[in-house]
Amino acid sequence: MGGVAKAEVFWRSALQGIRHQPFPHVVAVLTLGIALFTLGLGRAGSLAVEHLLRSLGTEVQVTVWLRPGAPQADVDVLSAALRGRGFGVQLVTPRAAVERLTRELGPAADALRGLASEPLPPSLELQVPPAWRDPAALRQLADELQRQAPVTAVDWGEAAVERLGALARALRWGGLFAFAILLCATVVVVSATLQLAIYARREEVEIQKLVGATDRFVRAPFLIEGLLQGMAGAALALVGLAAVLHWVAPPLETLFAFLRVPSPAAALWGLRSTLELLGVGALLGLLGSFLAVSRALRA
Amino acid sequence: MGGVAKAEVFWRSALQGIRHQPFPHVVAVLTLGIALFTLGLGRAGSLAVEHLLRSLGTEVQVTVWLRPGAPQADVDVLSAALRGRGFGVQLVTPRAAVERLTRELGPAADALRGLASEPLPPSLELQVPPAWRDPAALRQLADELQRQAPVTAVDWGEAAVERLGALARALRWGGLFAFAILLCATVVVVSATLQLAIYARREEVEIQKLVGATDRFVRAPFLIEGLLQGMAGAALALVGLAAVLHWVAPPLETLFAFLRVPSPAAALWGLRSTLELLGVGALLGLLGSFLAVSRALRA
Amino acid sequence: MIQMFHVTKSYPGDPPVLTDVNLTVDKGEFVFLTGPSGAGKTTLLRLVFCDEKPTRGQILVGGRNVARIRAASVPYLRRNIGVVFQDFKLLPHRTVLDNVAFTLDVLGTPRSESRERVLRMLKLVGLQHKAESLPLKLSGGEQQRVVIARALVNDPTILLADEPTGNLDPGLTVEILDLLCEVNVRGTTVVVATHDATLLERYQKRVIRLERGRVVSDTAQSEAVRRTG
Amino acid sequence: MIQMFHVTKSYPGDPPVLTDVNLTVDKGEFVFLTGPSGAGKTTLLRLVFCDEKPTRGQILVGGRNVARIRAASVPYLRRNIGVVFQDFKLLPHRTVLDNVAFTLDVLGTPRSESRERVLRMLKLVGLQHKAESLPLKLSGGEQQRVVIARALVNDPTILLADEPTGNLDPGLTVEILDLLCEVNVRGTTVVVATHDATLLERYQKRVIRLERGRVVSDTAQSEAVRRTG
Ligand SMILES: Nc1ncnc2c1ncn2[C@@H]1O[C@H](COP(=O)(O)OP(=O)(O)OP(=O)(O)O)[C@@H](O)[C@H]1O
Ligand SMILES: Nc1ncnc2c1ncn2[C@@H]1O[C@H](COP(=O)(O)OP(=O)(O)OP(=O)(O)O)[C@@H](O)[C@H]1O
Ligand SMILES: [Mg+2]
Ligand SMILES: [Mg+2]
């Protein structure tokens, strides 16, 4: 009952099965490949959405209006404190504020000509780190800052932030939902295909049992086949993803360029994703075959 | 050679096949169902994106600055012309403009107190109909308006519009791409499953041919089975979509509410979509079976 | 009815299965085909109903050259040939009734008529009580009789029976052989491949003997020789 | 070795296939099982190697009650029983060599050893030249001999042969039966289900006759009767 002898028998048996009856294997690999390809694209898509959200997040801006003539030291302390919490801080002098307002008002700017030389108060403009891009957190921050000495008011675009938060939630949940559906569909379709592939060979299972094979003995070669199918399917999916990366991603990226989203291609490729996909493929193939052959054994 | 007799034989044969060997049929229906379900969701998703884009489009705004003191008659003519082209037109008086600027500047508004009583020029704010929400069209409109007597300048947020246009293009192409992938995956997976289902029954095909059946005679019951499978799969998909509609869509819709997107559920349901899905299912089942049985006949 | 001229059949990589077979079976004849296991009996029959093409040589069946027949004409050829397959070839998920009726379905015979004929045929082979069973639930001999019924039900002009009594007891063997003789008397050309020496003895019909793919004896010829000699 | 006590087997919806069968086959015996088509021979053998459970009654095989055996023990029971199936049951996509080697693979015999034994066995049934063929490319008689080789290759303590010569010519039939006798002499209990009356004549072994699921005669008993009478 040498383990090596048995392992050899199982591999021989699996390879013979594939050689002499290639069709169900080809179909299983194809289905696994398509399923994993779709899954891989889905994952890349959800990463792209994640990036999109992060880049939209950079547009959250908080303006901290300062008392005109507040001591420079106080302002520096405040800036330092905010920087320490991860915010980007930029001082906008009254002059810069007027210039900007002029720009923003466009043709209506003539109206500003009548203003005093420094009519707008100075302000700090904050770049908000990801952890703070949340209406509740920002509201708390605003309250806290308002109590500081040099601060007259905090303007954090409540409506915009809430809107952005809602958009992020919606996209995230929508993406998650879509991905979950895709995952379920993959699992169901793959297991259905493997069931059918082994159903096409149910005679074999029956005969092996009649000749005195234990369930484990019957199952082993099918598991090896499932493993090989899963890995071949993953390889097929990788080829497909590489093709997408090469032919389809560049034009899509140009379209998305304005969003400053880092290439979703990065998510598609790389050693880690490759190994992950191979692993998922192997697992799917193995598990699917296990279930299918168990079913055939019970019959 | 009565056609009726033959049709009866084909139906009997198909139903007997399903009754005495249900497993491959069940798997085929399941796969078809999952595939169509995913496809249905994908379609609903792309409709939702389409609606999203339309609702984002309502935020395109054009401001037409008017010469202060321009004759009311000229302004009315201009408004009427624009309304005739489908634009929503609203006159903003200098007073209203100041009020709005005050609101927008927030704590910095004190600075405006020194302004003359009517320092801002009057303007027309245009709501842009869908057909005009396009950078090129808007640029042309702006040029045209600029040449009119009462107009001093036209502000149409060139950057914003271009950004929106790019976003729309990106989402549309991304969605189209995703849907195309899903469609291809569906077709491949369904045809693979049907190939395998008929492969599991290749013995039958072989025997029928040996006993003198023509290819058409062998094929007919398989086509009927494919048709039934496709329709059963579509029914399964409809059940799944109804479940999504009932359990999952409401929370998603709340999340998306702020975007003023009409319910994507509407796209999921309805007589037309139902019939469409059934049709697609029947077609897929029929075509897949046709290809699979043709392959089995050639072997 | 069946003529073979210099027929050779070989599968790639193996020595030829049939070598230069010349053979004439007239309309209405009853012929036993015998020979040791692996002699090529089944292969010879498969050539006749066009399940294989000869590697060399010509085969005429009812005047048609089946070595050159179009694929689309094969079904129509087969409808005139009843075949009892050595390995049965029953549709596993159709009832006995439907299996036998299949040859009639192919011809477009209405169900009402075909059902009656099938039941009559099943009665002849002693299986009327198994009409609604699935083949997998039958004994070996029962399955074999279903195949015989299927081959005979549409009154073929040629009947090819490959080891039709290998799973039957002596009593049934005689019954089935008598049935084949009766069919033969009604005009069907019958070729029976068999190992059963007692049958050859008992029925005293023409016997063609194959060995290693060659015709080594043919009682029709030896009789001709005897008569001329 | 094999004992049956009041064994009845019936499938739902049909009349019983076996009715109140009582039977004892001793270790080292050689028994012919005969009877008309559909008498229940195959079913009886299937009960012995646990492919079916009896509806009523007890069956002891090598001292174990197979009517009550756990599913997990069935494979180990079967490893001691060689079976020649009436419908062959060969793995269609494995070579002849691998088909025969399968019974040894199951036992964990190393390939080098099993290969040798398989080839020796194939030679005994006259198929050494077909070792690398797939079963579908063999003639009926060749397939049957592969099944016989598979059943014998692991020296089973019991051999159940269901119609093992149905597709063999008279010469081979004798060869195979002689082989079975030899195996029997070396200690294997052999049960051969057959229709072939000439075999019963020629070998003069114990004959159990089934009809409609009942044992209608058993030469062992009649001999016992004769001896006591
Ligand atoms: N498809 C094939 N490929 C290769 N060899 C084949 C094929 N079919 C048959 N043979 C070989 O041809 C020879 C003759 O086979 P055939 O089935 O005609 O024999 P047979 O006379 O019917 O024997 P039996 O009495 O055992 O049925 C056998 O040795 C067989 O192995
Ligand atoms: N799974 C089953 N379901 C229903 N009936 C069955 C089943 N298996 C066998 N039978 C019936 O039991 C009877 C005996 O079958 P069995 O195969 O034991 O006969 P046998 O003696 O081997 O006949 P043969 O000589 O024709 O092989 C037959 O009438 C058969 O139809
Ligand atoms: Mg043969
Ligand atoms: Mg039997």
Side-chain angles (χ1 to χ4, degrees), chain B residues 57-292:
Chain B
T58 59
E59 293 177 10
V60 176
Q61 277 220 343
V62 177
T63 309
V64 181
W65 298 99
L66 302 173
R67 197 153 33 81
Q72 187 61 32
D74 287 6
V75 174
D76 286 350
V77 168
L78 186 62
S79 300
L82 284 166
R83 285 208 181 86
R85 286 157 110 169
F87 288 83
V89 182
Q90 200 195 343
L91 180 69
V92 181
T93 59
R95 179 156 308 281
V98 170
E99 271 161 21
R100 188 186 301 173
L101 186 59
T102 309
R103 250 196 335 273
E104 280 175 2
L105 284 176
D110 286 351
L112 292 177
R113 264 184 245 128
L115 291 173
S117 60
E118 288 195 3
L120 290 172
S123 64
L124 292 177
E125 296 209 330
L126 306 185
Q127 243 108 54
V128 183
W132 287 89
R133 281 173 206 156
D134 166 66
L138 285 179
R139 186 171 298 121
Q140 205 194 323
L141 179 75
D143 287 353
E144 191 189 319
L145 288 176
Q146 208 117 32
R147 267 177 268 116
Q148 310 267 336
V151 176
T152 55
V154 179
D155 181 3
W156 56 281
E158 180 151 8
V161 171
E162 280 195 334
R163 199 183 153 111
L164 193 67
L167 181 67
R169 270 199 311 276
L171 281 182
R172 236 175 237 136
W173 282 108
L176 207 69
F177 176 66
F179 190 69
I181 291 283
L182 221 53
L183 192 72
C184 289
T186 299
V187 168
V188 172
V189 164
V190 164
S191 91
T193 307
L194 290 178
Q195 294 259 356
L196 210 47
I198 287 180
Y199 177 79
R201 301 163 63 195
R202 63 200 177 287
E203 205 194 343
E204 255 176 77
V205 173
E206 189 211 340
I207 294 173
Q208 295 190 3
K209 281 180 75 179
L210 283 179
V211 180
T214 54
D215 286 3
R216 279 178 53 210
F217 195 91
V218 176
R219 203 181 269 130
F222 283 100
L223 293 187
I224 293 175
E225 287 170 19
L227 187 74
L228 294 178
Q229 284 164 5
M231 284 169 44
L236 193 69
L238 283 170
V239 169
L241 291 174
V244 166
L245 186 67
H246 193 247
W247 301 111
V248 184
L252 274 185
E253 242 159 88
T254 347
L255 284 174
F256 271 110
F258 72 97
L259 292 171
R260 280 170 281 148
V261 179
S263 159
L268 277 179
W269 213 234
L271 186 64
R272 183 145 166 262
S273 327
T274 306
L275 289 179
E276 261 175 41
L277 203 70
L278 277 174
V280 170
L283 205 74
L284 266 179
L286 210 56
L287 216 75
S289 287
F290 182 84
L291 293 177

Side-chain angles (χ1 to χ4, degrees), chain A residues 41-42 45 48-49 244 248-249 251-253 255-256 264, chain B residues 42 45-46 49-50 53 166-182:
Chain A
L41 275 190
V49 165
V244 166
V248 184
L252 273 186
E253 242 159 89
L255 284 174
F256 271 110
Chain B
S46 59
V49 166
E50 200 62 37
L53 291 177
L167 181 67
R169 270 199 311 276
L171 281 182
R172 236 175 237 136
W173 282 108
L176 207 69
F177 176 66
F179 190 69
I181 291 283
L182 221 53

Side-chain angles (χ1 to χ4, degrees), chain C residues 55-77:
Chain C
T55 312
R56 268 196 300 282
Q58 304 300 328
I59 303 174
L60 296 183
V61 177
R64 297 196 65 155
N65 189 337
V66 298
R68 297 227 203 96
I69 203 168
R70 279 187 314 130
S73 309
V74 171
Y76 302 97
L77 174 80

Side-chain angles (χ1 to χ4, degrees), chain C residues 139-141, chain D residues 41-43 86 162-163 195:
Chain C
S139 82
Chain D
K41 301 180 294 296
T42 301
T43 306
Q86 192 171 12
D162 195 357
E163 211 68 62
H195 293 297

Side-chain angles (χ1 to χ4, degrees), chain C residues 11 17 37-43 86 195, chain D residues 130 137 139-142:
Chain C
Y11 293 98
V17 176
S37 173
K41 302 180 292 300
T42 301
T43 306
Q86 192 171 10
H195 292 298
Chain D
K130 294 284 183 186
K137 300 194 164 177
S139 83
E142 286 163 351

